[in-house]
Amino acid sequence: MVADRFSTATKLKVLGTVLVNGPSARTYRAKPPRRSRLTGRAALLALVVCSLVVALAYPMRQWVTQRSDIADQRRQSERAREQVQRLLDHKARLEDPAYVEQQAREHLHYVREGETGYSVVDGSGDAKRPEDQGAADRPWYSNLWDGVDTADADTP
């Protein structure tokens, strides 16, 4: 038996056309069924491409992350080099006795023997000590101890 290539619905349609229009009418030829565009090879290729994308996604993300980490480390290294250079310059200045003396006079108010040191108060500072504003100005342990004393005083 040879397998028919047309479906039953297609055969009935052709038969109906012949009966309605007569035997002299041009018979209807059914189009061959369309083949699917997705062949086995195309499906396999799509599967391989998707597998490659999935397999390479994580390593690519890691690579990008590592590149940004490397750039951050290079920036930190450059800042550390600059700081080392500043510290070396400061160390070199501290080896100069004139610089050390100037810093001691300026920051520590040192004077040489025989010199008289003066401190000038310009009056812009507040010489009064602020009054106790209550519990907010005292340390926590002082507030705690005051609370214990108050509770002991209330007890008969």
Side-chain angles (χ1 to χ4, degrees):
M1 262 201 215
V2 177
D4 272 343
R5 70 179 234 203
F6 299 113
S7 68
T8 305
T10 306
K11 288 179 190 177
L12 287 174
K13 202 183 276 187
V14 169
L15 183 61
T17 305
V18 170
L19 289 176
V20 170
N21 296 330
S24 64
R26 190 169 184 206
T27 58
Y28 173 74
R29 289 196 174 242
K31 293 181 182 177
R34 287 179 61 174
R35 284 184 63 189
S36 172
R37 290 184 180 214
L38 183 65
T39 62
R41 287 183 183 175
L44 183 63
L45 179 64
L47 181 67
V48 168
V49 168
C50 289
S51 298
L52 285 174
V53 167
V54 168
L56 294 177
Y58 183 74
M60 285 301 293
R61 192 182 102 214
Q62 290 291 77
W63 182 77
V64 168
T65 303
Q66 288 174 358
R67 296 300 297 173
S68 68
D69 289 345
I70 289 170
D72 290 341
Q73 292 295 327
R74 285 185 178 153
R75 283 191 292 273
Q76 287 179 359
S77 174
E78 187 59 35
R79 282 194 298 265
R81 279 191 197 101
E82 290 170 0
Q83 184 179 9
V84 165
Q85 189 58 43
R86 281 193 309 270
L87 290 172
L88 287 174
D89 293 343
H90 187 66
K91 179 184 173 189
R93 280 193 309 246
L94 288 175
E95 291 175 356
D96 182 19
Y99 178 76
V100 173
E101 181 181 348
Q102 182 250 340
Q103 292 296 311
R105 285 176 174 270
E106 183 178 325
H107 296 289
L108 303 175
H109 307 290
Y110 279 18
V111 293
R112 287 182 168 246
E113 218 173 291
E115 294 179 344
T116 304
Y118 295 100
S119 293
V120 178
V121 179
D122 63 356
S124 66
D126 190 10
K128 289 189 234 175
R129 194 174 167 99
E131 294 180 18
D132 186 25
Q133 297 291 324
D137 286 339
R138 293 185 302 220
W140 66 270
Y141 50 84
S142 178
N143 293 333
L144 178 68
W145 192 250
D146 288 343
V148 170
D149 284 341
T150 306
D152 283 343
D154 291 342
T155 325

